[in-house]
Amino acid sequence: KQAALSTGGTPIDEIRALASATLVFSVGDSMQQPARALLKKNPALKHHHFHHLSGLQATDQLIECLLKESGRQPSPSLVRWRKRLQDALLDSHFSIGQTRFALAAEPDQLAGLAAAVREAGGRVALAVSSVASPQLERLEAERVMVGDLEDAEDLAEHYDVIIGSFHCEALAHRLHKGLVLRGFPNWEQVGNQLKNDVLYEGSAYFLFECANSANHCRHQLAV
């Protein structure tokens, strides 16, 4: 029998044990309410919240917090990946900085994607969220709206590359836009479930993908 969801994940017993934790991190504004419920159960625990973990600045904030709480020094691997992300920002800036992006996702993911794109100099011309959220008020985008892909199609003249789920593919092809697939569903790309756009490593790979899509789109228009 084929399962609807992949097996594995966090056991329920570990979730129950969160109430006895001494240090808890929550990521994404959608997790603030569960964090408040946890603090109500155990007011003595220490809690740190992050709006997202994409890009250099957000990752630096998390790492600084972790190093302070643990009393440790950053590992050589961590330092190396931070330098790689700095190189990625420099290398992708020339392409991303000349590109207007449209993002279509849920609010927490929008926050991370927009921050990473803007750090590389890209313009987030449009951010379309599936639901309303206070997270949207902090998005650094020229236009933020709760809507769907019909709205993205109506505003097609304002962007060059769209970042979103597989539902954006037909729209991108029809409008001759660049496409970076992110979110659910993604029916065609092999290995998509192993991608990540967070921390130093994931942010670097995401920026490279955005830059390559922007370059490809620009080349197609020139032809």
Side-chain angles (χ1 to χ4, degrees), residues 58-130:
T59 307
D60 279 349
Q61 291 172 350
L62 172 66
I63 298 303
E64 181 181 0
C65 182
L66 288 170
L67 295 177
K68 182 178 179 180
E69 292 290 349
S70 66
R72 298 181 180 180
Q73 294 298 312
S75 67
S77 175
L78 190 65
V79 173
R80 184 162 56 249
W81 268 111
R82 188 179 191 277
K83 291 180 179 179
R84 286 173 176 166
L85 177 53
Q86 288 177 309
D87 287 340
L89 284 163
L90 178 62
D91 293 342
S92 63
H93 171 77
F94 302 101
S95 299
I96 293 178
Q98 303 177 58
T99 305
R100 303 168 301 167
F101 290 88
L103 313 179
E106 51 81 25
D108 287 348
Q109 187 176 35
L110 279 178
L113 297 176
V117 166
R118 284 187 57 83
E119 279 190 348
R123 286 176 54 195
V124 181
L126 174 65
V128 181
S129 171
S130 53

Side-chain angles (χ1 to χ4, degrees), residues 125-194:
L126 174 65
V128 181
S129 171
S130 53
V131 294
S133 166
Q135 183 86 284
L136 302 179
E137 299 174 8
R138 287 185 294 273
L139 282 184
E140 295 186 57
E142 295 174 9
R143 182 177 301 203
V144 180
M145 61 191 306
V146 177
D148 53 32
L149 293 183
E150 288 187 7
D151 298 301
E153 183 163 8
D154 292 339
L155 297 167
E157 71 273 13
H158 296 286
Y159 60 88
D160 310 300
V161 174
I162 185 167
I163 303 175
S165 73
F166 188 80
H167 293 305
C168 296
E169 185 180 53
L171 176 66
H173 289 173
R174 185 167 63 253
L175 301 177
H176 305 289
K177 304 292 184 181
L179 175 66
V180 177
L181 288 173
R182 281 301 183 277
F184 182 84
N186 184 339
W187 290 306
E188 288 193 357
Q189 287 188 332
V190 177
N192 177 66
Q193 68 274 16
L194 298 181

